[in-house]
Amino acid sequence: MRARGAVTAELLPWRDKAAFNAFLIGDSGVSLEALRRDGFAQFDYTMGDFDRQVFATPTGKVELHSVLLERAGQDPLPDYVPPLDRAAPAPGFPLRLQTGIREKTYHHSRFREQAWARKVSPDPRVHVHPETAADYGIGEGDWVRVETPGGAGPVRLKAAITDRTRPGVLTTGVGWWRPEAPGPEFGALDVNVNAALSYTGPTDPVSGSVDTGAIPCRVCRVPA
């Protein structure tokens, strides 16, 4: 890590898996030996005994008003926050992209090389409302190019026409790659929507996550 110029050379200070597991367990009172022997850890709990078993919050209670968020200068109460991009429209990118659709065949980028999973879901799909599809001349099963402002480049996805997404909104999953494509990218730069996104911001002030719920985008039909 030091040779690569990391901010801290001790980012991964553990020399082996056992040391890392010991760090994860910390001061929980659970021993690695007991876990290896039993395969699980059991904790006694009495329903409603909140005087003895307090919650891990500054007040020891369930907090609808978050003391920690208030101390950090953030809104301590749950509230609706509109998508971050609404305050800054992107000319030339009239649609909105929502990522994060889950598929039963995959978990993030896992199982893409499994024949059974590819049989069920062979291609990355982007859901398009019928009205939006008609506006852009897109049909069921057409390959389309999706692009976002500030992204590294467009990616190709296969259109699925459905009214389960809103007009003007494209919804898709993440983590795509193709085991038959050449490495090291294995097609990820071609069919993985992550490659079309910009992770430079704006970011959520509490979690630090980049907004992936309403990204300005554009789409066009491309040859198969």
Side-chain angles (χ1 to χ4, degrees):
M1 300 298 294
R2 187 177 289 106
R4 296 188 179 186
V7 175
T8 172
E10 306 305 324
L11 181 62
L12 298 172
W14 310 281
R15 292 187 174 277
D16 52 41
K17 187 176 181 180
F20 179 60
N21 288 337
F23 167 78
L24 292 177
I25 291 176
D27 59 358
S28 65
V30 179
S31 70
L32 285 173
E33 291 73 18
L35 285 177
R36 293 190 186 100
R37 182 188 66 244
D38 304 328
F40 64 92
Q42 183 172 332
F43 299 88
D44 294 330
Y45 185 82
T46 303
M47 293 295 293
D49 187 9
F50 301 122
D51 291 330
R52 185 175 65 88
Q53 301 174 122
V54 298
F55 291 91
T57 62
T59 61
K61 303 176 181 179
V62 174
E63 293 186 353
L64 298 181
H65 179 288
S66 173
V67 173
L68 292 178
L69 287 179
E70 186 176 44
R71 289 176 183 173
Q74 300 297 328
D75 188 349
L77 294 172
D79 195 9
Y80 169 73
V81 179
L84 297 178
D85 72 278
R86 289 187 181 179
F93 296 85
L95 305 177
R96 291 295 177 265
L97 176 66
Q98 181 177 359
T99 67
I101 284 183
R102 300 296 192 264
E103 296 185 67
K104 293 182 179 179
T105 43
Y106 302 116
H107 180 256
H108 300 306
S109 62
R110 295 173 61 192
F111 310 128
R112 308 286 170 169
E113 79 287 2
Q114 298 294 319
W116 65 267
R118 290 290 297 277
K119 183 178 180 179
V120 175
S121 182
D123 298 304
R125 300 178 73 82
V126 58
H127 293 201
V128 186
H129 191 276
E131 293 179 10
T132 305
D135 291 341
Y136 289 86
I138 298 171
E140 177 71 27
D142 285 346
W143 283 92
V144 300
R145 184 174 65 224
V146 177
E147 187 176 6
T148 68
V155 292
R156 296 184 311 119
L157 307 171
K158 204 169 188 177
I161 312 303
T162 174
D163 59 5
R164 298 187 66 179
T165 190
R166 292 172 57 86
V169 176
L170 308 180
T171 54
T172 188
V174 298
W176 269 91
W177 56 279
R178 295 192 183 279
E180 68 274 14
E185 296 88 1
F186 294 100
L189 299 181
D190 177 38
V191 295
N192 187 352
V193 73
N194 301 71
L197 307 184
S198 169
Y199 293 94
T200 59
T203 57
D204 177 75
V206 175
S207 67
S209 298
V210 176
D211 182 28
T212 58
I215 307 167
C217 73
R218 59 190 176 199
V219 65
C220 66
R221 184 173 176 272
V222 295

